[in-house]
Amino acid sequence: MRQLIAGNWKMNGVFADVARFAGPLRAATGLGCDVLVCPPATLLAAMAQALAGSAIAVGAQDCHPDPPGAHTGDLAAAMLRDAGASHVILGHSERRAAHGETDAVVCAKVLAAHAAGLVPIVCVGESEAERLAGRAEAVVAGQLAGSLPGGFAGVIAYEPVWAIGSGRTAAQADVAAMHAVIGARLHAQFGAAAEAMPVLYGGSVKPENAASLLTLPGVHGALVGGASLKPADFLAIARAARTLPNPAGGG
Ligand code: 13P
């Protein structure tokens, strides 16, 4: 399995950024990982066209749980697929916090993504208060149980909320421990199918810390926020990634 380096642009980016990114990404050779760029929905189609024919995939950052219909301002998974997305980030902590997304809502969105042929990237992670209270593993286990439907096929991103955009990265031992917990939970929930579910780490991943995070056992890639907005930094992180000897869950 190749590691997956995914960039989450969040609410950033204008049309001019598409060419500024697509050029260097297309030109990058010898990457030993899979690369995914998740721009805002306004740029999805342009980014997909700019990267057409390359090995770089394009993803969305959210979808509505329902099929196309009367939902002003929302986007259905099928519409994102039509715009060129192959993946969709779901249940990011910023959406859980700012939009009140519960595990049940995330689960419904995962089903919508499956139905549209999108690969869901489901985000989980504890707050700082939850970690300090010794509840980090229980919180993440609960999110996995509630957010992933039976038959889930996709990617998990472990993003400790306090490490997002803060410049603070989780301690390597804590990352490895949580990825082991997530791997065990996925195996308990899905059996052998869990082998095909990469578990990414996210939270202040930068060129300087990418190699140390991406070599931890059970880390199958990274979900990158701020550093994904600079092509050189994003590519430096991708160059720190590699092809893993074992399938997901096996280290
Ligand atoms: P940062 O890399 O900016 O901490 O963001 C991480 C994140 O939330 C990716 O989804």
Side-chain angles (χ1 to χ4, degrees), residues 9 12-21 40 42-47 49-50:
W9 284 20
N12 294 288
V14 294
F15 189 69
D17 294 316
V18 171
R20 202 165 61 78
F21 266 78
T42 47
L43 303 180
L44 262 182
M47 186 65 87
Q49 280 167 22

Side-chain angles (χ1 to χ4, degrees), residues 3 5 209-216 219-222 237 240-242 244:
Q3 286 186 315
I5 304 300
N209 61 22
S212 58
L213 289 162
L214 289 166
T215 47
L216 292 173
V219 174
H220 308 122
I237 293 168
R242 64 212 165 101
L244 295 170

